[in-house]
Amino acid sequence: MIDKSLNIKGREDVLAMGIDKYNAECRAIVMTCASDWHKTVERLGRWIDFDNDYKTLDASFMESVWWVFKQLHDKGRVYRGLKVMPFSTGLETTLSNHESQQNYMDVSDPTVIVAFPLKSDPQVSLIAFTTTPWTLPSNCALCVNADFEYVEIKDGETGNFYILLESCLGSLYKNLKTAKFEIVEKIKATDLVGLEYEPIFDFYEPQLKDAAYRVISDSYVTSTTGTGIVHNAPAYGVDDYRVCLKHKIFAPGGFVPMPVKDNGVFDETVGPFAGMYVKDADKDIAKNIKARGRLVRQGTEVHSYPFCYRSNTPLLYRAVHSWFVRVED
């Protein structure tokens, strides 16, 4: 509400206005709603002591939070880490999981199936499906499910050899009865694990070549969508980060490709895509892959996607450095 009334579009607008002035406007608008809040809560039947309440904007409340934080810090429970979280490029900040669930919209996103030739046999490619082509420059691994059995097929139209799940052949062919392909062999997923493939982009090959660009496995891979092989960009997916860390694609505190700035624009490390907003770069990335013969299929898919409830911009799941409270142990 405050951003709309002040025509604030993002972090830069707040800084231009001045944080002190922005905070003053925020404080003022909170108090204009106080009486309405009182009436609404009572109508809902909630028992709240409004005569002795507190507000999160009160200095006394903030100081109490800092006191608690200090106690946790003194006990060694606070650490700085990297975690994939919902990120608003409009506000240039992370959102809580609760906030990220408040504004889903049906959107049409591009889909691509990409070929990853095996280093041991370049004539055969693992193929992976994604609705986020902008994450492909950060690819570090391909993930299969160790409980599945995969197939190698020969495509009748191109003569190319592809590896995917047999139950996912519908991702490649609209009509399986008339499609021109043959199954060459069936392959256990465990025989795929550890195989190395040619990176889709070489932006980060010098930093990653000793550990990345290989097949790993995890049970989160399903047999109902895509190809049964998932492309992993650890900085841009909760499961991606988890499985890549588990399989030592990168070490804790080690290098992770993170080319997206806080405003959602690619940095200079990704060559031809530098300076582009990630969602706008999808078409250019698909075009680049196609020109190099690595694009197998291309289309669109309508699905529900989270948007920032304040800026109405698409949320990105993005690894961020932040302070956390250690609760696991």
Side-chain angles (χ1 to χ4, degrees):
M1 186 164 66
I2 186 65
D3 287 350
K4 186 175 181 179
S5 66
L6 297 175
N7 196 31
I8 296 291
K9 303 297 184 183
R11 182 172 178 269
E12 293 303 318
D13 291 337
V14 173
L15 295 177
M17 178 182 181
I19 294 176
D20 56 340
K21 293 179 181 177
Y22 182 75
N23 280 345
E25 292 287 348
C26 290
R27 287 175 177 274
I29 204 168
V30 167
M31 299 315 298
T32 62
C33 301
S35 59
D36 291 332
W37 176 243
H38 191 158
K39 293 176 184 176
T40 301
V41 170
E42 284 192 340
R43 288 183 64 194
L44 290 172
R46 288 183 62 187
W47 289 356
I48 295 178
D49 185 2
F50 282 101
D51 294 328
N52 298 288
D53 65 351
Y54 70 88
K55 298 176 180 64
T56 55
L57 58 78
D58 293 338
S60 58
F61 172 81
M62 290 185 250
E63 289 168 357
S64 67
V65 172
W66 278 110
W67 181 87
V68 171
F69 188 82
K70 184 178 184 302
Q71 305 309 304
L72 292 168
H73 182 271
D74 290 347
K75 294 178 180 180
R77 308 305 296 177
V78 175
Y79 68 98
R80 190 172 189 265
L82 190 67
K83 185 175 182 180
V84 176
M85 302 176 70
F87 193 91
S88 169
T89 58
L91 304 180
E92 298 187 28
T93 188
T94 56
L95 299 183
S96 69
N97 285 324
H98 170 71
E99 289 173 315
S100 71
Q101 303 296 314
Q102 294 185 25
N103 189 22
Y104 269 81
M105 299 184 191
D106 287 336
V107 297
S108 179
D109 273 333
T111 63
V112 293
I113 295 179
V114 182
F116 297 84
L118 294 174
K119 285 190 173 181
S120 58
D121 187 356
Q123 299 301 312
V124 180
S125 294
L126 300 150
I127 58 173
F129 168 93
T130 182
T131 59
T132 54
W134 63 268
T135 62
L136 287 169
S138 304
N139 171 265
C140 292
L142 295 175
C143 193
V144 299
N145 190 315
D147 295 329
F148 295 164
E149 185 177 61
Y150 290 77
V151 292
E152 178 186 329
I153 68 165
K154 181 179 181 180
D155 180 61
E157 293 185 4
T158 64
N160 293 331
F161 293 87
Y162 300 130
I163 295 175
L164 73 163
L165 271 182
E166 186 172 2
S167 62
C168 294
L169 282 168
S171 297
L172 272 184
Y173 306 108
K174 291 182 178 179
N175 190 331
L176 291 177
K177 292 182 179 180
T178 60
K180 297 178 181 179
F181 71 92
E182 62 176 288
I183 294 178
V184 178
E185 66 172 319
K186 296 192 176 184
I187 310 169
K188 292 182 179 180
T190 50
D191 292 332
L192 295 174
V193 173
L195 292 179
E196 297 181 342
Y197 62 85
E198 295 293 340
I200 190 66
F201 292 102
D202 60 3
F203 303 132
Y204 305 108
E205 195 169 5
Q207 300 98 316
L208 296 170
K209 63 181 180 180
D210 294 331
Y213 311 124
R214 56 185 169 88
V215 180
I216 58 179
S217 67
D218 193 82
S219 60
Y220 92 95
V221 178
T222 69
S223 60
T224 55
T225 59
T227 63
I229 300 174
V230 179
H231 123 76
N232 289 152
Y236 303 111
V238 175
D239 283 317
D240 301 52
Y241 186 90
R242 175 181 60 80
V243 299
C244 285
L245 182 62
K246 173 184 174 184
H247 289 279
K248 299 180 180 179
I249 298 297
F250 65 92
F255 175 79
V256 178
M258 297 173 60
V260 182
K261 298 179 183 179
D262 288 352
N263 60 359
V265 170
F266 276 126
D267 67 20
E268 68 284 352
T269 62
V270 289
F273 314 119
M276 300 180 68
Y277 178 66
V278 291
K279 290 287 187 178
D280 296 334
D282 280 339
K283 290 182 180 179
D284 290 74
I285 290 171
K287 190 181 298 183
N288 179 292
I289 294 169
K290 184 177 182 179
R292 293 185 287 117
R294 301 282 292 269
L295 184 66
V296 181
R297 292 287 187 274
Q298 185 174 12
T300 57
E301 179 179 298
V302 176
H303 63 151
S304 186
Y305 193 88
F307 280 67
C308 175
Y309 72 104
R310 289 177 61 190
S311 65
N312 231 31
T313 53
L315 294 181
L316 306 181
Y317 277 82
R318 178 172 179 255
V320 293
H321 289 283
S322 190
W323 294 97
F324 300 95
V325 176
R326 185 176 287 106
V327 297
E328 293 87 353
D329 58 351

